Amino acid sequence: MERNTGLIVAMDVTRMDCAVEIAGEVAECVDAIKVGYPLVLSEGLSVLSRLADYAPVIADFKVADIPNTDELICEQVFKAGASGVIVHGFTGEDSLKACIGVARRYDGDIYVVSEMSHPGGARYFQPIADEIASMAYEFGATGIVAPATRPERVKHLRSIIGDGLSIISPGVGAQGGKASDVIAAGANWIIVGRSIYNSENPKETAMELVTGIGI
Ligand code: 3DU
């Protein structure tokens, strides 16, 4: 993914027409569109190729299974038009390697969730975050997902992975994180959902976020 604006929109709406309308409005302000279960379960996997007409699509399926199943899932997702897939790392290195193997065949990206942004993410996830980040680095993932709600953790995770891997960071806006703080802490991209798609003017809000990032 090319870094122009530093903004990824999380398209957690449940209607294709709504997603396409917002994508059209914000396309010039975003480097990617993140699509997850809410939209795909509602409208089907074809939303990936539809939205890929506006910007590269990252499929946030937080893939977490045995290697063979992970491989089958990633294959379907890349084949459907995604440029990147978000996967879990707690399933272990064999599962992660399976996902990375498929991504290489499609020239695609794999982002590994290393720590989640919600309050509950601190309990079970945070204690293993450093190890997951190290594993993502060791096996050549594209990057990690780290919490904009805890910039100090983003800074710490950046020190583990160095500059070679990207950090994409959800939690700005509705979850309380601030764009400039998490970019200063070492994130390459912020991921923003509700603040954009619930806005009266998604394009204006996206523009303001991009200006706030200051890339
Ligand atoms: O809070 P928002 O509406 O800006 O959306 C954030 C998006 O990022 C949403 O799709 C959510 O599922 C995803 N995400 C997190 O919020 C936190 C994580 O640790 C990982 C993904």
Side-chain angles (χ1 to χ4, degrees), residues 76-214:
Q76 293 306 316
V77 177
F78 282 117
K79 214 157 71 181
S83 303
V85 182
I86 293 176
V87 307
H88 268 305
F90 61 73
T91 40
E93 62 191 52
D94 46 356
S95 292
L96 177 59
K97 274 156 73 179
C99 297
I100 291 172
V102 179
R104 294 217 166 113
R105 291 206 295 277
Y106 284 87
D107 202 17
D109 297 318
I110 293 290
Y111 299 95
V112 185
V113 182
S114 63
E115 181 174 326
M116 295 194 75
S117 59
H118 61 310
R123 185 167 181 184
Y124 298 112
F125 230 117
Q126 202 175 68
I128 57 167
D130 294 11
E131 277 186 78
I132 291 180
S134 299
M135 183 177 63
Y137 173 78
E138 188 181 343
F139 294 103
T142 311
I144 62 168
V145 185
T149 47
R150 297 184 207 98
E152 74 287 357
R153 293 290 304 158
V154 172
K155 192 172 178 187
H156 175 70
L157 291 166
R158 170 59 77 196
S159 75
I160 291 173
I161 61 174
D163 291 331
L165 263 61
S166 302
I167 297 181
I168 61 175
S169 188
V172 168
Q175 295 183 52
K178 203 169 157 228
S180 52
D181 288 351
V182 72
I183 293 292
N188 303 95
W189 282 276
I190 57 164
I191 299 171
V192 182
R194 284 165 285 179
S195 299
I196 294 177
Y197 64 73
N198 286 337
S199 164
E200 297 255 304
N201 189 333
K203 183 175 180 176
E204 203 174 279
T205 305
M207 284 287 200
E208 279 166 15
L209 283 159
V210 169
T211 309
I213 298 167

